[in-house]
Amino acid sequence: MISPKEKNDDFREPVIQGHPPSTSRLLLNLLGCLLSIPIYYFSTVHSRYPVTLDIVITIALTELNRYIVEGRRQDFARSQQIQSHGRHSFDEKEEWSSLHLETQPSAPSAECMAAVVGWREDPSLYARALESYKSARTCTFFLAGIDGDEKEDQDMVNVFCQVFPENSAVIQIPEPLGEVAERIRAKAMTLQRQNGLPINEDEANAAAMQACLDLARTILRQHNLTIGGPKSIRHLCLNQRHMHKKGIMFTAYVFALVISDILGIEFLWSSDSDTIVFPDSLEKTINTIASDPKAGGASSGLVVHNSRETAVTSLASAVYWGELYLTRSTPACTGTSDCQSGPSTAFRLSALPAILVPWYMQIAFGKRMIVNEDRHLTTNLLLRGWNVVFASDVLAATDTPTTMARWLRQQVRWARATHIESLLRPKVYLVSHPLLFYGMVKREFGPAIGAFAVTWFFFTGHQLIEISLMDFVFRILISTTYNFVRNTHRLNMGDLKWIIPGVFFYYIPLPAVQIYSMLTMAADGWGTSMRASGDMERAKKESKRKAWFDLGFFVVWMGIVAGVLAKVIVIHWELVWHEKMVCITVSMGVAMWGAWRVTIRAPA
C-alpha cells in the first residue's frame, strides 16, 4: 500500500517537455501557412460553389481524422498484445532476472483519473454527472473540484458524499493554489531582479509549480489520507474559496499530478459538473493517445443531454450534430486540434507541469484572462510540440443554454477566446502543421467576410460576393447526408425536424457574433446575468444596460439581415422608391423587435 506518508516528498517534474520541431520543419510550416492564404482565397472568391466545396473538403478531412484515430487505437491494441505476450514468455523463462524485467518498456495503459470541476451546479444534474463515472471504464480515481466554500456551495459537497459514500473524503483547501503559485512566482522573479539576474519566467514558473505540488502533498498528509492499496480512498472532493473556473481547475490539476504520481497513472480526464460521460467516453478518448509519446492531449465529441428542454436546446443539439462535429475535425487529422473542449478532455499528465502556471497567469490586453481556459491549455500544448487529437467518434453529453440570450452570450464568449488564441499567438502556427493555420483562416475570416458582404449590400445594393442559392442547398444536403451516414450520434425521429432550422439558427447570427466578439475581445466575465444587490432599481438599470452591451449587436444584425432580404425582394418586384423604403423599414422593424423580444427583454 502506498500513501502520501510513505511516498517521497519531492515531486520531480517529468523530463518530457514536448517535442519541438526542427529548423527545416519550421520553414516548411511557414511555407505551408503562406500557401494557405491564396488557396483559401481562390477556393472561395473564385469558386462558383464555394460553400459546397468547403463542406466537401471538410468531410474529406473528417474522414481522414477518423481513419487516423482508428489507426491510433490499433497501435494501442497491438502494444497491449505485445506486452501481454512478453509477460507470458517471461513466465516460461525463469532464468531471466528481475533486473532484466525492469528494463523492458512498459505497455501504455488507458487507465486514468478524472477531475470534474464546477460552481453551484444544479444538484440533480450534478448527481447525474457524478453517477455516470461509476460506469466509466478505466477511471481508477475520481477528483471533484468545487469553486466555493460558502453555505450555498454545501449542496454540491452533499451530492458528492451521497454519490460516493465509501472510499471518499472531502478536503477544504485553505488557500486556492492559483494564488499560491502567483505569489511564489512573483517572489522568484523579485529575487532574480534583486540579484541582478535577467528575469527567467521559466524558472519562476517551475518554482511556483513545485511549491504547489509540495503544498498539495502536505495537505493530503495532514488529512491522513491513504492513496493506493485495498483500503485507500478512490474519490476525493476539494472545495476552496470562490474564484473562477480557472482557479478551481488549477487546484484540481495540481492535486491530480500528486495523486497520479502516487498511483502511477499516466492520464487525466477533465470535465465540467454538468457533463455526463458514457461507459466508453474516457477509455476510447485516452486510447487514441496512449501509445503515442508525442500526444499530449485529446478530446471527444459532444452531444446535448437537455435537447428536449426548450426550442433553443433542440436547435443547439442540431448544431452540435450537424456543424460542430465537422468543424472541429478540420485540423485534427494532423494532431493539431486547436481546442480541447472543456467538458470532454484528456491530458497526458507529464505534459501538464510545464504549462499549468503559464496557463493560469495568462495576460491579454493588459488583464488576466479567466474565460478561455480550454483553448489556452490546448495552445500551450501545441506551442511545446505536443500533438492534440480529436476523437470525433467518441461522445460525452453536455448541457446547453436554454434561452436565446444565454446561447448568444455563450457563443460570444467562446468566440472571444478563439480570437485571443488564434490571433494573438502566431507562433503556434510556426511550430504546428499548416492545416492548423488554414483552419484558423477559414474560421476567423470566413464569417467576417460574410458579415462585411451582407452589410455592403445593405448600404449599397451591390453584391460583393456572388451568392448562389443552389450552393447553400447542396451544402445542406451533403452535410446532412454525411452526418446521417457517419455521425456517431444517431438522431431520433423527433429530432429530424430541427436539422434545417438548426442550420439557420447557427449561421445567421454567426457573422455578427464573429465581428462583435472581435471588437470586444478585451471584455471579460461569463456574460451571465448580474446578482442584484443594494438599490434594486439601480441594479435593474445596470442589468438592462449590460443586456444591451451583451446582446444589442444581435438586434442590430437581425435588422440588417431583414433589410437585405427585403431589398432583394423589392428589387425583384421592381417597386418604386417609396414602396421600397416602406417594405425595408417594416421588415427591419419587425426583425429587430423580434430579436429584442427573445434576447434583451426575455429573462436571461
Side-chain angles (χ1 to χ4, degrees):
M1 181 173 64
I2 303 174
S3 70
K5 282 187 174 182
E6 298 165 343
K7 192 78 175 177
N8 189 336
D9 284 348
D10 292 330
F11 182 100
R12 297 303 177 189
E13 184 176 316
V15 175
I16 301 175
Q17 296 294 317
H19 306 266
S22 62
T23 302
S24 60
R25 183 65 193 181
L26 292 175
L27 292 175
L28 285 174
N29 290 343
L30 177 60
L31 179 61
C33 291
L34 294 176
L35 291 175
S36 296
I37 299 175
I39 290 174
Y40 179 70
Y41 176 78
F42 285 108
S43 67
T44 53
V45 177
H46 293 280
S47 173
R48 185 176 180 182
Y49 297 103
V51 180
T52 302
L53 178 61
D54 175 71
I55 196 63
V56 170
I57 294 173
T58 301
I59 288 174
L61 293 174
T62 300
E63 280 299 295
L64 179 59
N65 181 58
R66 289 278 293 265
Y67 175 80
I68 293 173
V69 164
E70 188 57 35
R72 287 175 170 273
R73 293 202 183 102
Q74 291 177 4
D75 290 343
F76 173 73
R78 280 193 293 268
S79 66
Q80 293 287 298
Q81 292 174 356
I82 291 172
Q83 184 71 9
S84 177
H85 178 73
R87 287 198 190 98
H88 180 70
S89 299
F90 174 75
D91 291 339
E92 295 176 347
K93 297 180 179 181
E94 296 181 358
E95 67 273 13
W96 282 23
S97 66
S98 59
L99 177 63
H100 181 76
L101 174 63
E102 292 176 357
T103 63
Q104 302 307 303
S106 59
S109 170
E111 286 193 348
C112 69
M113 63 178 296
V116 175
V117 301
W119 177 65
R120 297 188 184 176
E121 188 60 78
D122 175 73
S124 60
L125 177 55
Y126 190 47
R128 289 178 62 198
L130 298 192
E131 286 283 356
S132 69
Y133 283 89
K134 289 184 175 181
S135 59
R137 296 194 293 268
T138 73
C139 182
T140 60
F141 195 96
F142 182 86
L143 179 66
I146 299 174
D147 184 36
D149 58 359
E150 299 179 3
K151 183 179 179 180
E152 294 87 346
D153 304 302
Q154 189 62 34
D155 287 344
M156 291 184 70
V157 177
N158 294 338
V159 169
F160 172 85
C161 295
Q162 291 168 6
V163 175
F164 302 116
E166 299 177 351
N167 305 112
S168 61
V170 178
I171 294 179
Q172 168 74 47
I173 305 300
E175 181 182 12
L177 296 189
E179 293 183 349
V180 175
E182 188 173 359
R183 186 172 63 251
I184 298 298
R185 180 179 183 272
K187 183 178 179 180
M189 295 175 68
T190 299
L191 288 175
Q192 291 174 351
R193 194 178 298 108
Q194 289 176 350
N195 293 331
L197 300 174
I199 299 298
N200 189 323
E201 290 191 7
D202 289 339
E203 288 186 4
N205 292 337
M209 190 73 239
Q210 187 62 53
C212 290
L213 293 167
D214 292 341
L215 179 56
R217 190 175 292 278
T218 299
I219 291 174
L220 291 176
R221 185 188 303 112
Q222 289 173 345
H223 285 76
N224 198 30
L225 299 181
T226 300
I227 299 176
K231 296 183 179 180
S232 65
I233 67 166
R234 296 183 57 247
H235 318 97
L236 178 61
C237 177
L238 310 173
N239 69 317
Q240 66 182 28
R241 172 170 46 82
H242 174 55
M243 295 179 66
H244 38 68
K245 185 180 178 183
K246 211 171 190 179
I248 190 61
M249 285 177 66
F250 184 88
T251 296
Y253 286 0
V254 171
F255 273 86
L257 284 166
V258 172
I259 294 170
S260 65
D261 182 50
I262 296 171
L263 297 177
I265 295 174
E266 294 184 66
F267 300 100
L268 172 69
W269 169 271
S270 176
S271 187
D272 298 334
S273 57
D274 60 0
T275 301
I276 298 170
V277 299
F278 302 111
D280 64 350
S281 296
L282 282 65
E283 179 187 33
K284 292 188 69 175
T285 301
I286 290 170
N287 65 20
T288 61
I289 60 175
S291 62
D292 181 6
K294 296 182 180 181
S299 62
S300 77
L302 289 169
V303 295
V304 175
H305 61 68
N306 63 329
S307 61
R308 300 185 184 276
E309 190 169 349
T310 66
V312 170
T313 61
S314 296
L315 290 166
S317 179
V319 171
Y320 275 77
W321 177 81
E323 303 299 330
L324 299 187
Y325 162 74
L326 288 168
T327 55
R328 288 185 62 193
S329 298
T330 299
C333 61
T334 61
T336 55
S337 177
D338 59 354
C339 181
Q340 293 174 273
S341 181
S344 56
T345 291
F347 295 100
R348 185 180 296 274
L349 281 157
S350 59
L352 288 181
I355 70 173
L356 282 185
V357 175
W359 163 75
Y360 183 77
M361 298 296 299
Q362 182 193 16
I363 295 177
F365 303 105
K367 59 185 358 178
R368 289 283 297 278
M369 300 302 300
I370 63 172
V371 298
N372 61 328
E373 67 287 335
D374 47 4
R375 278 196 175 272
H376 194 52
L377 269 171
T378 309
T379 301
N380 274 280
L381 288 175
L382 294 173
L383 282 170
R384 285 162 177 79
W386 293 99
N387 290 335
V388 180
V389 178
F390 175 47
S392 60
D393 60 342
V394 187
L395 299 175
T398 189
D399 192 73
T400 195
T402 57
T403 67
M404 190 67 182
R406 286 187 176 273
W407 167 264
L408 287 172
R409 284 178 165 126
Q410 182 192 70
Q411 298 303 302
V412 170
R413 187 178 75 244
W414 287 355
R416 285 173 182 151
T418 301
H419 301 327
I420 289 171
E421 298 304 313
S422 300
L423 303 178
L424 303 185
R425 292 283 184 143
K427 183 182 176 182
V428 72
Y429 306 113
L430 187 63
V431 300
S432 302
H433 193 280
L435 196 56
L436 177 65
F437 181 80
Y438 175 82
M440 181 277 295
V441 171
K442 185 175 74 169
R443 181 187 62 241
E444 290 293 303
F445 299 105
I449 293 172
F452 183 74
V454 170
T455 307
W456 182 266
F457 182 82
F458 175 77
F459 285 108
T460 67
H462 299 292
Q463 284 188 241
L464 189 65
I465 300 175
E466 185 174 350
I467 299 175
S468 168
L469 179 61
M470 292 306 299
D471 189 18
F472 289 100
V473 172
F474 290 152
R475 192 257 184 225
I476 294 173
L477 288 175
I478 291 172
S479 63
T480 302
T481 302
Y482 172 77
N483 275 289
F484 269 118
V485 175
R486 291 291 287 163
N487 199 318
T488 309
H489 179 208
R490 299 302 178 183
L491 294 183
N492 298 320
M493 291 300 296
D495 298 325
L496 300 181
K497 63 183 178 182
W498 299 103
I499 294 176
I500 302 301
V503 174
F504 294 98
F505 173 76
Y506 180 67
Y507 279 105
I508 288 179
L510 181 60
V513 168
Q514 189 80 347
I515 295 297
Y516 182 70
S517 57
M518 280 185 177
L519 296 175
T520 59
M521 269 196 290
D524 53 11
W526 290 87
T528 53
S529 303
M530 67 172 289
R531 294 177 178 269
S533 60
D535 185 349
M536 295 297 295
E537 189 63 30
R538 182 183 64 84
K540 189 179 297 185
K541 290 181 179 179
E542 289 180 357
S543 180
K544 188 64 66 175
R545 190 182 305 116
K546 185 176 186 302
W548 272 107
F549 175 79
D550 291 339
L551 304 167
F553 77 93
F554 178 69
V555 176
V556 175
W557 174 250
M558 291 308 296
I560 293 175
V561 171
V564 167
L565 293 176
K567 185 171 286 191
V568 171
I569 292 173
V570 299
I571 291 175
H572 178 73
W573 286 351
E574 298 181 347
L575 300 181
V576 297
W577 183 85
H578 68 276
E579 292 175 331
K580 290 181 181 179
M581 293 305 299
V582 170
C583 184
I584 293 173
T585 302
V586 171
S587 299
M588 291 181 63
V590 171
M592 294 177 73
W593 177 81
W596 170 79
R597 287 266 303 185
V598 300
T599 54
I600 295 173
R601 184 187 176 186

